Amino acid sequence: MVSSWLILWALFSLVFPLLSDVKVGDSEEGVSGVGSNLSPCLKLLNDEPLALQSGGDVVIGGLFPLHYIASRPEQSYHSEPQLTPCRGFDHRAFRWMMTMVFAVDEINRNSTLLPGVKLGYRIMDSCDQVDTSVKALLSLVSPSKAVMSKSKQMEENAKIFHKAKGKVTVSEEVKRDENKIKERMPSIEKNEDLKIIGERKILEDSGNDMDEEEPPTLPSCLADSPVSAVIGLASSSPTRAVAHTLAPFNLPLVSYFATCTCLSDKHMYPSFLRTAPSDLFQVKGLVQLVTFLGWFWVGTIGTTDDYSQYGIQEFSNQFQQQGGCVAFHLTIPETPTVAKIQEMADRLQGSTAVVVVVFATEGQLMDLILELAKRNVTGIQWVASEAWVTASLLTSPRFHPLLEGTLGFSFPGVRIPDLKEFLLNLRPSPETGMEFVNMFWEELFSCRLEFIRNKSEENDTNTMNNLMGLDDFDDKKDSDPASLVRPLVGKQSKFEGSAAENYSSAAEKPVCTGSEDLSYIHNTFTDVSRLRVSYNVYKAVYAIAYALHNLLNCDSAQNYRMCENHTSFTSGQLLHHLMTVNFTNQFEERVFFYPNGEPVPLYDIINWQKDSEGEIRFIKVGSYDGSAVLKKQLQLERSTIVWTRGQSQAPGSQCSSPCSPGSRQARRPGEPLCCFDCLPCAEGEISNQTDSTECTKCAEYYWPDKDKVKCVAGVEEFLSFHDAMGIILVSLTLLGVVLTTFVTAVFQHFRSTPIVKANNSEISFLLLLSLKLCFLCSLVFIGQPSVWTCKLRQAAFGISFVLCLSCLLVKTIVVLLAFRANTPGSRALKQFGPCQQRTMVICTTAPQICLCAACLLCAPPFPFKNPNYQATTGKIVVECNEPWPPGFYLVLGYIGLLAFVCLILAFLGRKLPDTFNEAKLISFSMLIFWAVWISFIPAYVSSPGKFTVAVEVFAILGSSFGLLLCIFVPKCYIILLQPERNSKKGMTGKHLT
C-alpha cells in the first residue's frame, strides 16, 4: 500500500508540479483564478497525451488498453521525461473504445434520456500498465493544453466577433470566457468537485450577459477535473491504482473489465463500480466446472498483477476444499525472458496434469503460447478466465492444435443494433483527436497515412466552431457516423506526414490509398455478433446517463420534461445516484449495482470450436448464474462441447486414478493429497464409495461381499447332516451301532456257550452297551449346535468312554486273576467276584459323572458364533463354546488315565496261554485307542471351524471301532465260523487231538 502511494505521489509530482508565483499569461498552459496570487498547476511535460474527445455539457472520461506493451525508459532526472509510445495495438480494445463513443452518440440522439443535456467524452490509452494508466488518468482529469489555452483563443475569437458586431469589448469577452472555464471547476472554498451543466452559447447577442461577471473559482489540480466520471479500466492492477487516486475526490470510476475481488472493498475504493462481476463468482463457477467434469488434478498459470494473484489464490483455496489438488502454479513475469518462458514450457510438458486454469490476459499469455506452439504441444485442456476466453488474438491458425477445445467463463454477449455500421464507417482524419483512429487504420491495413492540410480553406468561423466543439451531433444524424468523432478543443493538428513516423518506429510502409473498406475486414474489431466486454462498456455509459437523468430531474414536469441544465452538482452526488441506479435496457436486462457496486454475476460458458472454414469460433455451451441456488447455478451442455484435440470425450486429469469401491486411498509420502495408491480393503471391511480414504469394518456376524462394497449377513457354518462329511460320519456311526447290536445279539444268542461265559458275559454285555453309547454320542456332535446338544455332547462322550474303559479294566483284572487262581493257595479270583466287579465299574465311572455334572452346573457349554474364521473362509462357525476349558481336558485326562491302566495290565497278561488270553485283544485295542487319541490332539487344535468337530467325531468313532473289532470280532468269528472251538475242549485246546 505504501509503495503504491509513493509511486502515485512521484508520478503526480512529475506530471503536475506546483510552481509558485505563476500569474495568468505567464504560460499558455497555466490556469489560475482572476486576480489570484495562489500557485496554479502546470504540466512539466510539453507533449500532450493523445486523446479521443468530443465536447458536451457533461464529459465522461474513458481509459482503454489500446496497446498492451508499454516501454519502461530509464529516467535520469536531469532532463524532462518524454512520452514514450506504447506498442502492440489491440483491435478488441479499440472496439471497446469506439463502443463508448457510439453509446454517447446514441444517448445524445435520445430525446427522452437526457433532454437538453449533451454528453461528451474524453478517452485515453492506458497501455494496460499501472504507471501508464495513472499518467493517463492525471491527464484525463486535468484540463488539457487546449482547454488551458482557451482564454487566449477566445480573446482572438472575440476580436473577430467585435470587428463584425462592435458590441463586446475584448476584455469583457476574455473575462466571461475565463469564468466559463472555471464554471467546470469546484471552488476551493467549498473544497468540492463542482460541475456546471449547460454552458451558455459563446458570443450570444446579449450585452447584459456580457457585462455580468461571475465570481472567480480557484483551481486545485486534481479536483479541477473536466470529466464527471471515468469509465475504465480493463486490468485489475491499473484499476486499483486509479481507484486509489480517485477515491478521495469521490469521482466515480466504472470499470467494464476489472474483476479482481479486492476491488469490492468499499473502504478502500468508495467511488469504484463495475459492470463486470467480481472474480469471486467466477472462481466459484470455475471450481464447480472443473469438479463437475471430474478434474481434480489441475495446473494454474497467472501473472504478477492483482487480478491473477487474487483469482488464482481464491481458486486454489476453493478447489482444495472440494478435494482437488493444484499440480503446479506458473507465474508469468511482467517482462519474461526467453529462459523463463522455456522453463515454464518445460514444466507444462512434464506435468501429468492435463487441465490448466489460466488467469491472465491474451497479451500476457502470448510469449508462452508462442513457445508451446513452436514445440507442437497438444493435449492440454485450457480453462480460461473471462480475461482471454474471447480473445481473437489467440485464434491464429498456428495456435489451433494447442488451444482448440478451450473452455472458460465469459460475460453474456449481445448484439448491439447499429454498432457494426458505426464501426464500418470510421475513417482516418488529420483532425486533432483522431490519432487513435489513424493508428488503427495503419495497423489494420499495414500502410501509412499522409495528410496534406490546406489551411487557406479554413475560415475563422469554422475554426472557432471546431476549437470550441460547438458542432451538435443532432445536426449530423444523416451524416457519416465517423464524423461524430471530433475533438473538444485544441490547435490545428500537427499530424502532418506519416503517422507512423510520429507514433511508432515501424518500418517504411506503403501509403494508404484512402479507398480501404472495413466491410471486407473480418477480425475482432468488426465481429460484433456476440459483444461481451463491449456490452459492459455500453452498460457503463448508460448507467452514468441514467444517474444524470435522476440527478438532473429530467422527468420533472416543472422543467417541461427537460433536464435542469443549469444545476450544479458534486461528484459525490453523481456517485450516489450512480450507486442507486436501476433500469432495464433495450436487451431486457435489468442493470443495477449491489451495495458494494457489483452487478449481477451472470456468465456464459464458452468453448473454442472450429467451424467448417477452419476458423475458431466462440460457442456458448452453458451458463452460470451466481445469484441462483447452488444446484441451479451451473448449466452445461456436455454433448455440444469440443474438447482438446477436437475430441468428443472429456479428458481425464488426475494424479491417480480413482479408487473404486472396495478399496481405499493410501497417501504417497511427500506428494499432494490427490496422489495416492489404491489398496483393497482388509478382510471384514468394505468401502461403498469411490476414492474412500478409509474402509469400514462390518458389524459382528456380517461379512463383506466378494467386491467388498457392502456387508452381508455371515454364512453360518457347522458340521451339518447334509454335508458330505456329515453324511460319512453318520454312516460310520450307524455302522458302528449296527455292528455293536449284531455282536450283542450273537452274544445273547450264544450266551450259554463257554466262550461267552468264560469272558464274563455280564461285563461283556455292559461293554457292548457302552460301545453303542460311544457310537451314538457322536451324533450329538453333528448338526447345528443348540443349548441341549452343547450340554450333552461332552458329558455323553466322557461318561460313555469311561464306562467302556471301566469294563475293559475289570475284564483285564479278571483275566489276570483267573490265571493267578490256578496257582496253589490263590484266592484272588474269589475275592474279585461279580459284586466286586460291578462295584469297580461304578467306582471308576462315578468320578467322570461327577466331573461332567460339575461342568454342566458351573460352566455349561453354549452355542457360539465364532467370527475368527471369517478372514479366511468368509463364514461364521457355529460351535459350542466351553466357558471352562480345563473341564474338557480333565474329562479327556481321566479317560486317558483309565486307558493307560488298562494298557499296562493288558501288557502284563500278554504271555498268558492263547486259548484263554483276552489280554492280548485288550492290549491291541488299547494301542489303537491311544494312537487315535494321541493323533487327535494336534489335529483337533489345528483344524479350523467345523473340522474341529469332525476330528473329534472321527476320534470317537475310530477308538470305538478299535475296541469293538479288536475285542469282539475274534470271538464272533469263533462262535459263528468255528463252533467246535466254542466248547470246553475247544477252550482247553483238546479238540485238536
Side-chain angles (χ1 to χ4, degrees):
M1 178 63 68
V2 176
S3 60
S4 62
W5 277 109
L6 288 175
I7 294 173
L8 293 176
W9 175 83
L11 290 171
F12 189 88
S13 301
L14 285 173
V15 183
F16 296 101
L18 293 177
L19 303 180
S20 59
D21 300 330
V22 177
K23 299 180 181 180
V24 177
D26 289 349
S27 173
E28 179 178 276
E29 300 173 346
V31 176
S32 178
V34 177
S36 173
N37 293 325
L38 294 179
S39 301
C41 293
L42 287 180
K43 290 185 179 180
L44 180 60
L45 296 178
N46 293 324
D47 294 328
E48 185 75 16
L50 300 180
L52 183 65
Q53 48 194 358
S54 176
D57 300 317
V58 178
V59 179
I60 303 175
L63 293 173
F64 294 88
L66 198 58
H67 297 84
Y68 53 85
I69 300 176
S71 301
R72 296 184 178 277
E74 295 292 335
Q75 302 293 349
S76 63
Y77 301 98
H78 295 292
S79 60
E80 294 181 1
Q82 300 297 319
L83 285 176
T84 55
C86 300
R87 296 176 291 109
F89 194 89
D90 191 342
H91 293 175
R92 187 168 66 142
F94 184 67
R95 188 188 66 205
W96 303 341
M97 179 184 292
M98 299 315 299
T99 302
M100 177 178 172
V101 175
F102 171 80
V104 170
D105 170 51
E106 192 175 67
I107 292 170
N108 285 335
R109 289 186 282 108
N110 187 335
S111 60
T112 59
L113 185 54
L114 289 176
V117 174
K118 178 182 177 182
L119 286 184
Y121 53 82
R122 191 177 184 205
I123 306 173
M124 291 188 174
D125 182 9
S126 68
C127 293
D128 206 31
Q129 301 295 327
V130 173
D131 55 342
T132 54
S133 298
V134 174
K135 286 179 183 179
L137 169 71
L138 298 178
S139 297
L140 181 69
V141 299
S142 302
S144 66
K145 183 187 297 184
V147 173
M148 296 170 71
S149 61
K150 184 176 179 180
S151 60
K152 286 194 173 184
Q153 297 166 9
M154 293 305 302
E155 184 176 350
E156 295 175 1
N157 294 328
K159 289 179 181 179
I160 298 173
F161 186 81
H162 179 68
K163 290 178 182 179
K165 299 293 184 179
K167 292 183 179 181
V168 183
T169 63
V170 173
S171 60
E172 289 174 341
E173 181 68 15
V174 170
K175 283 185 177 181
R176 193 179 73 83
D177 289 324
E178 285 177 345
N179 290 332
K180 292 290 286 183
I181 296 174
K182 297 166 189 171
E183 283 179 356
R184 293 182 181 271
M185 305 178 183
S187 173
I188 291 182
E189 296 174 358
K190 295 181 180 180
N191 196 24
E192 290 185 334
D193 191 6
L194 185 61
K195 306 295 178 186
I196 304 300
I197 307 303
E199 289 186 4
R200 302 169 186 173
K201 290 187 177 181
I202 302 174
L203 303 179
E204 281 187 353
D205 192 11
S206 174
N208 294 333
D209 291 340
M210 298 292 183
D211 294 334
E212 293 179 0
E213 291 186 7
E214 299 179 6
T217 58
L218 302 179
S220 58
C221 293
L222 187 58
D224 298 336
S225 173
V227 296
S228 301
V230 178
I231 295 178
L233 297 88
S235 299
S236 296
S237 292
T239 304
R240 290 186 70 187
V242 170
H244 266 303
T245 307
L246 296 180
F249 306 99
N250 284 328
L251 189 64
L253 173 65
V254 186
S255 175
Y256 49 86
F257 208 10
T259 58
C260 180
T261 308
C262 56
L263 289 165
S264 300
D265 187 354
K266 289 290 107 179
H267 296 287
M268 296 290 293
Y269 314 104
S271 63
F272 175 77
L273 303 93
R274 51 184 163 191
T275 53
S278 168
D279 280 336
L280 177 65
F281 301 101
Q282 180 184 199
V283 166
K284 289 182 179 179
L286 287 174
V287 171
Q288 287 190 35
L289 177 66
V290 296
T291 54
F292 175 76
L293 295 173
W295 297 332
F296 290 91
W297 180 244
V298 305
T300 57
I301 297 178
T303 60
T304 57
D305 59 14
D306 296 319
Y307 162 76
S308 177
Q309 290 184 350
Y310 278 86
I312 291 294
Q313 180 180 3
E314 190 62 27
F315 173 84
S316 300
N317 292 338
Q318 294 189 27
F319 185 53
Q320 290 173 359
Q321 290 175 5
Q322 297 299 321
C325 297
V326 177
F328 61 85
H329 173 65
L330 303 179
T331 301
I332 302 175
E334 191 171 354
T335 55
T337 62
V338 175
K340 181 63 177 178
I341 292 297
Q342 291 178 346
E343 178 185 346
M344 296 173 67
D346 292 339
R347 183 73 183 279
L348 268 173
Q349 285 186 279
S351 175
T352 58
V354 177
V355 178
V356 179
V357 180
V358 183
F359 275 79
T361 64
E362 64 271 26
Q364 295 167 330
L365 273 177
M366 181 58 69
D367 291 336
L368 179 59
I369 296 298
L370 285 171
E371 178 63 24
L372 293 174
K374 180 181 176 182
R375 300 186 181 192
N376 295 322
V377 176
T378 59
I380 297 178
Q381 179 63 55
W382 300 92
V383 178
S385 65
E386 91 295 337
W388 68 281
V389 72
T390 56
S392 298
L393 187 65
L394 299 177
T395 58
S396 173
R398 60 178 169 173
F399 299 146
H400 289 181
L402 176 63
L403 298 178
E404 182 184 8
T406 295
L407 205 63
F409 277 33
S410 177
F411 306 129
V414 299
R415 185 182 183 91
I416 301 177
D418 301 328
L419 176 60
K420 185 167 185 177
E421 290 73 15
F422 175 82
L423 297 177
L424 294 180
N425 286 319
L426 286 179
R427 291 295 181 271
S429 171
E431 295 180 357
T432 302
M434 294 294 290
E435 290 84 359
F436 291 150
V437 178
N438 298 338
M439 286 182 185
F440 163 72
W441 201 267
E442 292 184 329
E443 174 73 21
L444 185 62
F445 295 105
S446 297
C447 60
R448 70 180 189 274
L449 291 168
E450 292 184 356
F451 296 108
I452 301 177
R453 299 292 299 269
N454 189 356
K455 297 183 181 180
S456 63
E457 296 178 358
E458 299 175 359
N459 54 43
D460 293 334
T461 304
N462 290 336
T463 301
M464 183 181 68
N465 289 338
N466 182 37
L467 295 175
M468 294 301 298
L470 298 178
D471 296 327
D472 192 347
F473 286 176
D474 292 334
D475 296 335
K476 300 186 178 183
K477 293 180 181 178
D478 299 329
S479 64
D480 186 353
S483 65
L484 299 176
V485 183
R486 300 183 65 91
L488 174 63
V489 289
K491 298 180 180 180
Q492 290 296 326
S493 175
K494 297 180 181 179
F495 192 71
E496 299 177 359
S498 172
E501 293 175 2
N502 290 283
Y503 301 105
S504 69
S505 58
E508 193 71 19
K509 299 178 181 178
V511 178
C512 301
T513 63
S515 61
E516 295 86 359
D517 191 351
L518 289 175
S519 60
Y520 295 104
I521 300 298
H522 300 285
N523 62 6
T524 183
F525 175 75
T526 58
D527 183 10
V528 294
S529 56
R530 298 290 292 181
L531 297 174
R532 306 177 190 281
V533 182
S534 297
Y535 180 47
N536 288 342
V537 175
Y538 187 82
K539 289 190 292 184
V541 176
Y542 267 88
I544 294 174
Y546 272 94
L548 289 170
H549 178 90
N550 298 330
L551 177 61
L552 302 178
N553 298 318
C554 296
D555 290 330
S556 175
Q558 298 177 356
N559 299 325
Y560 304 100
R561 302 297 178 182
M562 298 293 289
C563 299
E564 297 177 357
N565 54 1
H566 293 283
T567 300
S568 61
F569 64 88
T570 64
S571 57
Q573 290 174 327
L574 177 58
L575 177 62
H576 170 72
H577 284 275
L578 191 56
M579 291 287 291
T580 58
V581 74
N582 194 330
F583 66 95
T584 301
N585 60 18
Q586 60 177 317
F587 305 103
E588 301 300 324
E589 180 182 349
R590 186 178 166 209
V591 180
F592 65 96
F593 299 102
Y594 285 130
N596 60 347
E598 306 285 348
V600 178
L602 298 175
Y603 295 93
D604 288 344
I605 301 177
I606 301 300
N607 184 218
W608 290 27
Q609 301 182 9
K610 278 187 180 181
D611 60 10
S612 58
E613 299 178 356
E615 297 291 332
I616 290 291
R617 299 298 177 191
F618 305 133
I619 306 301
K620 178 181 176 180
V621 294
S623 61
Y624 178 80
D625 184 357
S627 61
V629 295
L630 182 61
K631 293 184 178 180
K632 295 183 178 181
Q633 289 180 347
L634 182 67
Q635 303 292 331
L636 191 65
E637 301 175 8
R638 296 191 63 169
S639 60
T640 62
I641 299 177
V642 174
W643 309 97
T644 179
R645 292 175 177 165
Q647 297 175 348
S648 58
Q649 295 293 329
S653 183
Q654 296 164 335
C655 182
S656 300
S657 299
C659 292
S660 60
S663 60
R664 65 175 180 86
Q665 296 178 357
R667 286 279 311 279
R668 296 176 186 170
E671 296 189 26
L673 292 175
C674 297
C675 299
F676 50 81
D677 295 319
C678 294
L679 300 180
C681 291
E683 298 296 337
E685 296 182 344
I686 65 165
S687 66
N688 52 12
Q689 293 181 348
T690 302
D691 281 337
S692 296
T693 57
E694 293 181 353
C695 294
T696 305
K697 190 175 181 62
C698 290
E700 190 176 15
Y701 308 134
Y702 280 81
W703 187 248
D705 61 357
K706 63 178 182 179
D707 296 325
K708 296 186 177 181
V709 295
K710 63 180 180 179
C711 292
V712 295
V715 178
E716 294 183 353
E717 184 183 45
F718 52 86
L719 187 59
S720 172
F721 289 103
H722 305 290
D723 292 344
M725 186 175 296
I727 293 173
I728 294 174
L729 293 177
V730 170
S731 300
L732 292 175
T733 299
L734 295 178
L735 177 62
V737 172
V738 170
L739 289 176
T740 306
T741 304
F742 174 76
V743 171
T744 303
V746 171
F747 268 55
Q748 179 66 27
H749 185 267
F750 296 96
R751 185 172 185 176
S752 58
T753 61
I755 198 169
V756 175
K757 290 182 178 179
N759 288 278
N760 194 342
S761 58
E762 183 178 349
I763 297 299
S764 295
F765 283 113
L766 185 60
L767 177 59
L768 288 172
L769 176 63
S770 64
L771 285 174
K772 188 179 294 186
L773 292 176
C774 288
F775 282 117
L776 290 175
C777 78
S778 63
L779 295 177
V780 185
F781 288 85
I782 303 173
Q784 184 173 3
S786 61
V787 176
W788 72 269
T789 56
C790 288
K791 291 181 179 179
L792 184 61
R793 61 171 54 174
Q794 299 297 352
F797 159 69
I799 294 173
S800 299
F801 266 85
V802 166
L803 180 60
C804 178
L805 293 174
S806 298
C807 294
L808 287 177
L809 179 61
V810 170
K811 289 177 71 65
T812 304
I813 294 174
V814 169
V815 170
L816 292 176
L817 291 178
F819 279 95
R820 192 176 286 266
N822 293 328
T823 60
S826 176
R827 301 180 58 185
L829 185 59
K830 294 180 180 180
Q831 294 178 355
F832 194 69
C835 182
Q836 287 79 12
Q837 294 175 13
R838 298 188 195 100
T839 303
M840 186 175 182
V841 169
I842 294 173
C843 291
T844 53
T845 306
Q848 188 78 308
I849 296 175
C850 295
L851 183 60
C852 291
C855 291
L856 292 177
L857 292 175
C858 299
F862 57 87
F864 169 67
K865 294 180 179 180
N866 187 358
N868 294 336
Y869 300 102
Q870 281 184 319
T872 54
T873 64
K875 297 180 180 180
I876 299 173
V877 178
V878 183
E879 59 186 13
C880 292
N881 185 34
E882 300 287 345
W884 191 50
F888 174 69
Y889 294 111
L890 287 175
V891 170
L892 287 180
Y894 189 70
I895 293 174
L897 176 63
L898 291 181
F900 180 73
V901 173
C902 288
L903 178 61
I904 296 299
L905 293 177
F907 183 77
L908 294 176
R910 70 186 185 284
K911 294 183 180 181
L912 295 176
D914 291 338
T915 56
F916 196 73
N917 194 358
E918 194 177 15
K920 289 183 178 180
L921 301 178
I922 296 175
S923 296
F924 192 69
S925 64
M926 285 298 99
L927 288 175
I928 295 176
F929 185 90
W930 272 101
V932 169
W933 285 101
I934 289 176
S935 61
F936 158 77
I937 295 175
Y940 180 86
V941 173
S942 61
S943 298
K946 64 181 181 180
F947 298 102
T948 303
V949 180
V951 168
E952 188 171 359
V953 174
F954 269 115
I956 293 172
L957 294 177
S959 57
S960 299
F961 273 110
L963 294 175
L964 177 64
L965 297 177
C966 291
I967 295 176
F968 292 101
V969 168
K971 296 178 182 179
C972 290
Y973 176 78
I974 294 174
I975 293 173
L976 298 176
L977 298 180
Q978 293 182 350
E980 66 277 6
R981 294 181 60 184
N982 190 11
S983 62
K984 288 184 179 180
K985 292 182 179 181
M987 294 295 295
T988 58
K990 293 181 179 181
H991 70 284
L992 297 176
T993 58

